[in-house]
């Protein structure tokens, strides 16, 4: 079970300190949301920030590209120090070549799916990926409410993984708090992105510990 604090929820004027706070709190991954103002109606940050943070931190950098043209960003984020790079299945025809390119750069390969998109669209790529990111809100903004209708997709992602004996992680992203993390863990998720809930805590270390123990308990009681 991995807890991945999402830097999008941090105060942008203090990104470096906030990223260090997330690491000290025990978040094993740092989730980095890249928004291009086209694939989603918002803009976040780019490779320069990732490159600046990299030498300050030891955590795994989980880069989530919510971008229409990720092909122009793979090299820059790989060089900046991403450990995994995730692209969206909604990009259609170019998904396969994007996944190959990420692998060829020596990075973990992620594929994300938005709430309205049918889970069957990811099926052709399951053998190519290290990470399946099931969006549990419509991407673009932090602080939204979890969409319950995404739970069956998490269950399906987990069922395929078991049936096909594949090693990909099932990551959830959007509206994840202690209660929704538990629901996702019961459905089969093992990697939990959480922005607002974790960064909003005065004691983030206790919050990461609590979320981790909740999801671990749910998974082992299945
Ligand atoms: C949504 C992003 C999320 C977001 C999650 O577009 O992909 O990673 O930061 O934030 P919270 O936990 O605030 O919903
Ligand atoms: Zn994200």
């Amino acid at each position: 079970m991995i807890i991945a604090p999402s830097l999008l929820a941090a105060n942008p004027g203090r990104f470096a300190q906030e990223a260090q706070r997330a690491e000290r709190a025990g978040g094993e991954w740092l989730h980095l949301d890249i928004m291009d103002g086209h694939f989603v109606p918002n803009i976040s940050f780019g490779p320069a920030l990732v490159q600046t943070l990299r030498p300050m931190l030891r955590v795994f950098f989980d880069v989530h590209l919510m971008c229409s043209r990720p092909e122009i960003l793979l090299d820059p984020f790989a060089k900046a120090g991403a450990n995994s790079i995730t692209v969206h299945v909604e990009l259609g025809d170019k998904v396969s070549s994007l996944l190959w390119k990420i692998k060829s750069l020596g990075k973990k390969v992620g594929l994300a799916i938005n709430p309205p998109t049918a889970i069957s669209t990811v099926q052709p790529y399951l053998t190519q990926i290290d990470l399946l990111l099931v969006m549990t809100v419509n991407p673009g903004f932090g602080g939204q409410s979890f969409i319950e209708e995404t739970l069956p997709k998490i269950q399906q992602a987990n069922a395929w993984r078991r049936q096909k004996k594949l090693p990909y992680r099932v990551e959830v992203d959007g509206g994840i708090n202690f209660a929704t993390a538990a629901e996702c863990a019961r459905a089969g998720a093992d990697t939990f992105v959480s922005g607002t809930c974790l960064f909003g805590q005065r004691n983030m270390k206790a919050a990461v510990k609590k979320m981790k123990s909740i999801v671990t308990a749910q998974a082992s009681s299945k």
Side-chain angles (χ1 to χ4, degrees), residues 46-212:
L49 179 74
V50 175
Q51 192 176 358
T52 302
L53 296 177
R54 183 67 281 180
M56 306 170 70
L57 299 156
R58 288 181 303 273
V59 288
F60 183 100
F61 277 14
D62 177 30
V63 171
H64 176 195
L65 298 180
M66 285 161 274
C67 303
S68 298
R69 295 183 62 219
E71 58 276 17
I72 62 170
L73 297 168
L74 300 181
D75 277 309
F77 278 104
K79 286 203 185 85
N83 295 103
S84 66
I85 302 181
T86 295
V87 293
H88 270 262
V89 74
E90 290 78 15
L91 297 172
D93 287 351
K94 56 185 176 184
V95 168
S96 201
S97 63
L98 289 165
L99 301 179
W100 280 112
K101 172 79 181 181
I102 296 168
K103 193 175 171 69
S104 76
L105 290 166
K107 306 300 174 184
K108 296 283 186 201
V109 180
L111 184 62
I113 177 166
N114 283 339
T117 306
I119 189 70
S120 56
T121 58
V122 303
Q123 207 175 4
Y125 308 107
L126 296 178
T127 57
Q128 270 182 280
I129 61 175
D130 300 299
L131 181 70
L132 182 61
L133 173 49
V134 179
M135 288 304 303
T136 46
V137 298
N138 287 307
F141 300 91
Q144 303 182 73
S145 299
F146 180 81
I147 299 174
E148 297 281 340
E149 289 76 10
T150 58
L151 286 167
K153 293 163 86 171
I154 302 165
Q155 284 162 350
Q156 182 64 75
N158 188 42
W160 279 331
R161 174 167 64 169
R162 284 190 180 166
Q163 285 156 15
K164 299 172 202 284
K165 298 195 169 41
L166 291 169
Y168 58 83
R169 304 195 70 87
V170 176
E171 184 176 36
V172 288
D173 182 7
I176 300 298
N177 54 35
F178 302 115
T180 57
E183 290 185 69
C184 292
R186 268 200 299 279
D190 55 46
T191 307
F192 303 83
V193 175
S194 179
T196 307
C197 170
L198 294 181
F199 278 94
Q201 307 279 337
R202 190 173 291 236
N203 187 342
M204 193 168 170
K205 189 169 192 167
V208 168
K209 198 172 167 198
K210 179 175 169 186
M211 191 173 282
K212 196 154 176 161

